[in-house]
Amino acid sequence: MNRTFVLAAFALTIPPVMAVPGSATASTIAWRACGDTGAECGTVTVPVDWSHPDGRKLSLAVTRRKAAKARAGTLLYNPGGPGTGAADLVRDWAPQFFSPRLRDRFDIVGIDPRGVGGSEQISCKRPVHDPEVTQFPSTRPEYERMVAHNKSGGQSCDPLIRYVDTVSVARDFDAVRAALGERKVSYLGRSYGSMLGTQYARLFPDRIRTMALDGVVDHGMPSRRMVVEAASAVEDSFDRFAAWCARTADCELHGRPVGKVWDGLVQRAERRPLPVPGGRPLTAEELRYSVYAMLTLFPEFGHGLARGIAEADGNNASLLGQMRDQALYDPASTAAYRAILCQDIDPQVPDFGELRRREHLIRRRAPHMGGTSEFWDMTTGCIGWPVRPAAPNARCTSATHHPSCWWATPTTRPRPWHGRKA
């Protein structure tokens, strides 16, 4: 699950069906034309706290692009994140993101989840990331400073951070389905959208026509295993990039030992942050995270990644600095990103010693990337967060009745969810 849109290949099978009669999609949403591609925009009102449906409400931004030809149904889309919405994407970029066949057969609906985009946003007075606060503390004072930073950051946010867990978002999506007048919907989820899709499937299995996900996170996996496996996956991505560059003549690092070039660049950044003309220098942690973010877009952006590393090696880290600013320091998306993940993930790190043990493990698994991954970011970023997880990762068995354990339960019927304690 990634703020930079993990663009894995996907396939959505469309069986031969008759067009759905117009009466089957009578919508209660007050639509208005928007954008330049024929889309229409509206809002859907949902409870802030689904365990108290008569309490305070919030509005979700929704965009629809109607099927061009024989309509097969409605496709809900989530591009990833968390912290990313789909309303503007469907409004302005549908031809770039969806095939002609999908646009012909489906009403494509983009929703900005609660806390994100055009929906009611999370507001925090302090930043989620601070370049002066390491997420790889090597001393107890560094660890304590990180924990204090996380706590103060969460305390600076508005109360909505208590109600942005993925279970609540899945319920919001079903409220949109109902407002659209649809008995069943199809769903396409990328990156974090896969996590959202699996929660929707657990809660509302009878309301799914077709679901396509680019990957499934085992939400019951212990946090330590999450970061170790993520470190291995990121290192594998780097190795694949290096191998691609070795066989691709127009890669800007072609003919050079990519691993050695990269390792030398990281070592230089550890001694002194890399220069970014017109901007703040790039620290070693930021360098690794920026390249990690670009690896999630490989192979589509392989040439850009190679150019970024080559230019940084030549003392101009502008391209990687731009990725840093997008991935780590955009206030609107990063506040929601942190709040949502800290509602879903329990870091399970009781003290500095445990974090250091995990760091040793991930650095052994990932000598080039140093264990950098989104799971490490969410683990360290949630240590000290002032709001307890609403639906944390938990060990799952066939008898577990927990929102995280959608995959392990023996029934296909949705079970009631009874809210949370902050």
Side-chain angles (χ1 to χ4, degrees):
M1 65 212 160
N2 195 298
R3 286 167 298 178
T4 52
F5 311 127
V6 179
L7 300 180
F10 67 93
L12 182 61
T13 302
I14 307 173
V17 295
M18 299 297 290
V20 178
S23 60
T25 58
S27 173
T28 61
I29 302 173
W31 295 109
R32 66 186 186 281
C34 60
D36 300 321
T37 64
E40 49 191 6
C41 297
T43 59
V44 173
T45 301
V46 297
V48 170
D49 185 349
W50 275 101
S51 64
H52 295 91
D54 296 327
R56 188 170 80 85
K57 303 296 193 295
L58 60 82
S59 292
L60 304 175
V62 182
T63 301
R64 176 173 68 178
R65 197 175 189 277
K66 285 188 174 182
K69 296 182 181 178
R71 182 179 180 278
T74 289
L75 174 68
L76 303 185
Y77 176 60
N78 184 275
T84 301
D88 287 357
L89 186 152
V90 170
R91 183 191 67 199
D92 299 328
W93 300 97
Q96 286 78 17
F97 276 78
F98 305 101
S99 70
R101 192 178 185 201
L102 281 177
R103 301 198 309 272
D104 284 347
R105 301 297 304 279
F106 286 91
D107 291 352
I108 300 174
V109 175
I111 305 166
D112 285 352
R114 55 174 60 205
V116 173
S119 300
E120 182 173 335
Q121 289 193 7
I122 291 171
S123 174
C124 301
K125 295 182 176 64
R126 300 176 70 90
V128 167
H129 289 97
D130 182 343
E132 300 298 323
V133 179
T134 178
Q135 288 191 309
F136 292 84
S138 58
T139 65
R140 192 172 300 278
E142 287 182 339
Y143 172 81
E144 292 172 351
R145 185 181 183 189
M146 181 190 74
V147 175
H149 167 75
N150 295 340
K151 182 178 180 179
S152 64
Q155 289 173 335
S156 77
C157 301
D158 61 54
L160 186 58
I161 65 167
R162 297 174 179 269
Y163 304 102
V164 290
D165 58 282
T166 300
V167 174
S168 293
V169 177
R171 291 184 174 276
D172 292 346
F173 271 50
D174 196 61
V176 173
R177 174 206 59 79
L180 290 166
E182 296 283 18
R183 187 173 65 85
K184 291 188 176 185
V185 291
S186 296
Y187 177 88
L188 170 60
R190 290 173 166 173
S191 191
Y192 168 77
S194 295
M195 194 170 178
L196 173 58
T198 54
Q199 286 289 11
Y200 188 88
R202 183 193 71 83
L203 290 167
F204 308 109
D206 296 337
R207 298 171 191 174
I208 300 168
R209 174 189 176 276
T210 304
M211 178 170 282
L213 309 175
D214 74 351
V216 177
V217 175
D218 178 356
H219 196 197
M221 186 186 297
S223 175
R224 176 188 281 208
R225 184 178 165 194
M226 278 186 179
V227 297
V228 171
E229 293 196 0
S232 298
V234 174
E235 187 75 5
D236 179 68
S237 294
F238 181 86
D239 291 342
R240 289 172 183 268
F241 161 71
W244 168 84
C245 210
R247 65 176 182 270
T248 304
D250 59 349
C251 170
E252 291 204 28
L253 295 172
H254 181 70
R256 302 177 65 186
V258 175
K260 289 184 178 180
V261 172
W262 169 250
D263 291 344
L265 187 62
V266 172
Q267 290 167 9
R268 282 168 48 196
E270 287 173 341
R271 293 192 297 269
R272 181 189 296 272
L274 302 177
V276 176
R280 182 175 56 77
L282 192 72
T283 69
E285 279 187 35
E286 292 172 336
L287 171 65
R288 286 195 297 265
Y289 201 94
S290 299
V291 167
Y292 157 70
M294 297 187 79
L295 283 171
T296 66
L297 301 171
F298 178 76
E300 289 88 350
F301 293 92
H303 287 92
L305 174 55
R307 184 171 68 255
I309 293 174
E311 290 178 354
D313 191 47
N315 288 322
N316 182 353
S318 295
L319 195 154
L320 297 181
Q322 292 173 15
M323 178 57 73
R324 168 198 63 191
D325 296 340
Q326 176 184 330
L328 293 175
Y329 299 112
D330 175 43
S333 63
T334 53
Y337 166 81
R338 177 67 73 230
I340 293 167
L341 290 177
C342 291
Q343 283 282 277
D344 286 354
I345 300 293
D346 183 350
Q348 300 169 340
V349 177
D351 52 35
F352 172 60
E354 170 60 20
L355 190 66
R356 284 293 284 172
R357 286 188 287 274
R358 294 189 189 189
E359 186 175 344
H360 290 316
L361 285 173
I362 63 174
R363 288 192 183 277
R364 285 204 300 270
R365 290 289 188 98
H368 290 303
M369 292 301 295
T372 299
S373 74
E374 213 155 348
F375 281 108
W376 184 262
D377 176 79
M378 71 179 70
T379 295
T380 55
C382 293
I383 302 172
W385 191 254
V387 181
R388 290 173 56 190
N393 42 317
R395 184 178 180 183
C396 298
T397 69
S398 61
T400 302
H401 293 279
H402 187 277
S404 301
C405 299
W406 60 271
W407 55 270
T409 52
T411 179
T412 59
R413 301 295 302 174
R415 298 182 303 282
W417 179 66
H418 300 293
R420 72 197 46 79
K421 293 182 180 178

